[in-house]
Amino acid sequence: MKILIIGSKGMLGQALVKVFSAGNEVLAWDREEIDITEAQSSNIKIQNLRPDLVINAAAYNNVDGAETERELAQKINGYAVGYLSKTCKGLDIPLVHYSTDYVFDGTNRKGYKESDFPNPVSAYGESKFLGERELQKNTDKFYLIRLSRLFGKEAYIASAKKSFVNLMLDLAKNHAELEAVDEEISCPTHAVDVAERTRYIAESKPEFGIYHAANVGSATWFEFAAEIFKIKQIDVKLKPVPASRFPRPAMRPQHSVLLNTKLPPMRSWKEALKEFLISN
Ligand SMILES: NC(=O)c1ccc[n+]([C@@H]2O[C@H](COP(=O)([O-])OP(=O)(O)OC[C@H]3O[C@@H](n4cnc5c(N)ncnc54)[C@H](OP(=O)(O)O)[C@@H]3O)[C@@H](O)[C@H]2O)c1
C-alpha cells in the first residue's frame, strides 16, 4: 500500500512511519511538505501523490496555548480535517485521523465508550471535537481514533514540547523531592502501541467509524510519575498535590478514561511504559 503519513515528525507520526514502513510505501510529510490548513495546495499535493490511505497525525497540541490561540487551534485541529476529508473522499480512499480524551468533560467516572457524546471543557478539546465533526461530515470512509496521554520518543521538531516522562526524568536529576498532581485520571498510552493499533485497523479493515486506542489501566499524573521512578529505580520523594497547586489556563477533564469496546484490548500502560523506558 502507498500510505501518506502527515505530521510525520510528531511523537505519534514518528511511530507511525516506523510501524508502517515494513511492507508499505510510506510517504512521510510534515510542515515542510504540506500545510494542512491550506485547502487548495494540500488537495493538489495529495491528488498528485495518489495514495491508497492517508493518516493524519498533524495537530495543534498545546492545551493551554489553545485558550489564547483558539483560532489557530480550530484551523489545524478542526477545519483542516474537513479539507483532508474532502480530498480523501474525492480520491475514494480512507482517512485515519486522531482525536483525544479531552473531547469529553470528564464527569463520567466509568469511562467513555466510542459512542459517547463529547462535551469538551477547553478550547483544545473544542478544536479537536470540531475536527471530529468535520471528518464525519465530509467523508464516510474514516477511522477516527481517540487516544490519551501519549508517551514515546519526543517529536523531532525544535518546538517539541517535553514529554511528561522526560520532564519527570529531567526534574529528578536536580531535585530530591518533587510534586505531581494526584488528579485528572486518564490512560497513559505508548505512541508505538497506537501506531500498531492503527496498522491493525488499516490491515483488518473493520467497519469505518470511531475507535478508542489507549493502553489498559488508568492513572493520575502522580501515579504515572511514581511508576516512571519505580521502573527507572530513581530515588526521589514524590508528593501528591491537588491540581490547584499548579494553576493552568485550560480546564482538564477530571476522569477521561477511554474504553475500547470494539477491538481486542491493548496491553497495560505499565507494561508499555516499562518497555519504553528500558529501550530508551
Ligand atoms: N500528545 C498527546 O498526549 C495526545 C493526547 C491525545 C491525543 N493526541 C492526538 O494525537 C495526534 C498526534 O499527536 P502528537 O503528540 O504526536 O503531536 P505532535 O508531537 O505535536 O506532532 C504534530 C505534528 O504536526 C505538525 N503540524 C502542526 N500543524 C501542521 C500543519 N498545519 N500542517 C502540517 N503539519 C502540521 C507539527 O509540526 P509543528 O511542530 O511545526 O507545528 C508536528 O510535527 C494528534 O491528533 C493529537 O491531538 C495527542
Side-chain angles (χ1 to χ4, degrees):
M1 267 211 293
K2 187 173 182 177
I3 300 172
L4 170 60
I5 297 175
I6 304 176
S8 60
K9 291 186 176 172
M11 187 182 281
L12 177 58
Q14 289 180 72
L16 286 165
V17 171
K18 205 167 169 191
V19 164
F20 275 90
S21 287
N24 294 295
E25 182 188 351
V26 168
L27 288 307
W29 287 4
D30 208 277
R31 266 198 200 271
E32 295 79 17
E33 292 81 16
I34 191 169
D35 178 349
I36 59 167
T37 64
E38 298 287 337
Q40 213 185 350
S41 64
S42 298
N43 184 43
I44 293 169
K45 285 178 184 179
I46 298 172
Q47 287 217 19
N48 288 341
L49 193 69
R50 299 226 150 250
D52 302 306
L53 172 70
V54 175
I55 303 179
N56 177 37
Y60 176 98
N61 256 337
N62 184 343
V63 176
D64 290 319
E67 296 296 319
T68 44
E69 292 189 305
R70 194 173 281 256
E71 241 175 74
L72 180 62
Q74 296 216 338
K75 256 171 108 171
I76 300 173
N77 292 344
Y79 297 113
V81 181
Y83 309 152
L84 289 174
S85 308
K86 283 183 191 159
T87 299
C88 290
K89 187 179 169 74
L91 288 167
D92 195 29
I93 57 168
L95 173 62
V96 175
H97 175 68
Y98 299 94
S99 191
T100 167
D101 55 327
Y102 280 19
V103 295
F104 296 114
D105 60 19
T107 54
N108 184 352
R109 300 183 72 81
K110 290 187 189 148
Y112 290 91
K113 294 195 295 291
E114 297 84 349
S115 56
D116 283 335
F117 197 74
N119 182 32
V121 295
S122 65
Y124 167 76
E126 276 171 20
S127 72
K128 294 296 292 183
F129 182 35
L130 177 63
E132 293 195 359
R133 283 174 291 157
E134 285 292 313
L135 176 75
Q136 295 173 76
K137 190 171 84 186
N138 289 297
T139 181
D140 296 327
K141 290 191 173 181
F142 67 84
Y143 291 112
L144 173 59
I145 303 177
R146 294 197 189 108
L147 53 113
S148 59
R149 207 161 280 180
L150 212 57
F151 61 87
K153 277 199 177 151
E154 278 174 9
Y156 288 128
I157 39 183
S159 59
K161 251 192 341 191
K162 220 173 224 338
S163 73
F164 182 75
V165 173
N166 282 347
L167 180 68
M168 288 300 114
L169 293 175
D170 278 0
L171 284 171
K173 284 180 193 154
N174 304 313
H175 298 81
E177 290 186 19
L178 288 174
E179 294 178 336
V181 171
D182 199 18
E183 291 183 46
E184 297 166 17
I185 297 168
S186 176
C187 313
T189 295
H190 193 185
V192 167
D193 289 16
V194 177
E196 295 282 5
R197 179 46 51 112
T198 306
R199 187 177 171 128
Y200 172 85
I201 288 173
E203 287 175 353
S204 63
K205 300 188 177 63
E207 229 185 294
F208 290 115
I210 303 176
Y211 291 86
H212 284 176
N215 283 126
V216 168
S218 61
T220 64
W221 294 106
F222 169 78
E223 289 162 343
F224 190 10
E227 192 66 20
I228 295 167
F229 297 135
K230 185 175 143 199
I231 294 168
K232 291 296 264 184
Q233 298 182 330
I234 294 173
D235 188 19
V236 63
K237 194 164 173 234
L238 190 64
K239 185 177 162 204
V241 295
S244 56
R245 176 78 181 81
F246 298 107
R248 291 154 297 169
M251 253 182 91
R252 267 78 173 166
Q254 273 304 304
H255 203 285
S256 55
V257 169
L258 292 175
L259 302 174
N260 158 24
T261 69
K262 294 164 85 172
L263 295 176
M266 287 166 59
R267 64 180 164 168
S268 80
W269 70 267
K270 289 186 182 177
E271 190 187 336
L273 180 66
K274 194 170 178 182
E275 183 190 278
F276 170 66
L277 287 174
I278 287 170
S279 63
N280 284 280

